[in-house]
């Protein structure tokens, strides 16, 4: 699990500002940083782990920010005992794909939470975790799930 945090406060001019903070505790795992745009969707500045797929953390052009962290009590039953090639073999983890879809479609924290309820709830067995969201209004939420609940 990565170290995570969120803060919403007022600037000296009275405007709300939110911060999401995260470490990536995935030593020796290839990762990427980049700018992407979903056809017909929002533009996103993001970070991801190559073998995981999708977006681990990002912010879209509406100011909706998101990151996730692993939090589960089990691993998928078919995970190999030893990984022979960590670059291309990763246990089935769709959370990054859910995050990429969320950032391409949603513009606010409440909209993002609704999206997570629908996307995660329709995937029993999905790897458990926390998704932190923040938007320009100062709203912050943590969506915690395990086994699609």
């Amino acid at each position: 699990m990565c170290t995570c945090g969120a803060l919403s406060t007022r600037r000296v001019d009275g405007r709300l500002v939110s911060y999401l903070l995260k470490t990536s505790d995935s030593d020796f795992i290839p990762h990427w940083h980049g700018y992407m745009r979903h056809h017909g969707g929002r533009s996103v500045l993001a970070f991801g782990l190559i073998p995981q797929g999708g977006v681990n953390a990002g912010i879209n052009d509406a100011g909706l920010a998101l990151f996730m962290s692993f939090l589960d009590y089990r691993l998928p039953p078919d995970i190999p005992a030893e990984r022979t090639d960590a670059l291309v073999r990763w246990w089935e983890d769709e959370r990054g794909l859910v995050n990429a879809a969320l950032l391409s479609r949603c513009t606010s924290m409440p909209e993002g939470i609704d999206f997570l309820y629908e996307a995660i709830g329709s995937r029993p067995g999905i790897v458990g975790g926390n998704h932190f969201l923040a938007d320009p209004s100062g709203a912050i939420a943590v969506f915690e799930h395990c086994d699609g609940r």
Side-chain angles (χ1 to χ4, degrees):
M1 179 174 165
C2 301
T3 303
C4 306
L7 170 71
S8 183
T9 188
R10 292 199 180 274
R11 297 179 357 170
V12 293
D13 63 4
R15 289 181 39 204
L16 283 172
V17 62
S18 296
Y19 298 95
L20 294 181
L21 309 122
K22 175 188 184 215
T23 61
S24 179
D25 298 343
S26 301
D27 293 342
F28 311 111
I29 301 292
H31 62 277
W32 59 270
H33 294 85
Y35 177 79
M36 57 190 204
R37 179 163 169 72
H38 182 275
H39 179 69
R42 311 216 62 92
S43 297
V44 178
L45 180 62
F47 156 80
L49 305 173
I50 291 173
Q52 185 176 49
V55 171
N56 189 281
I59 185 169
N60 68 20
D61 57 8
L64 177 61
L66 159 72
F67 69 74
M68 70 179 173
S69 182
F70 173 78
L71 181 64
D72 209 333
Y73 65 92
R74 84 280 189 277
L75 293 176
D78 62 342
I79 187 170
E82 291 185 32
R83 294 186 188 139
T84 56
D85 185 349
L87 181 62
V88 296
R89 174 69 179 135
W90 193 272
W91 36 302
E92 297 301 319
D93 186 354
E94 296 179 317
R95 295 172 307 145
L97 303 176
V98 168
N99 286 347
L102 184 152
L103 288 171
S104 75
R105 298 176 189 173
C106 301
T107 60
S108 68
M109 181 278 293
E111 189 179 3
I113 290 294
D114 289 345
F115 183 90
L116 286 171
Y117 270 108
E118 182 179 327
I120 300 294
S122 66
R123 288 172 173 76
I126 192 170
V127 175
N130 295 313
H131 300 253
F132 284 62
L133 292 92
D135 69 24
S137 76
I140 295 175
V142 178
F143 182 87
E144 184 175 303
H145 64 92
C146 182
D147 200 22
R149 295 186 300 256

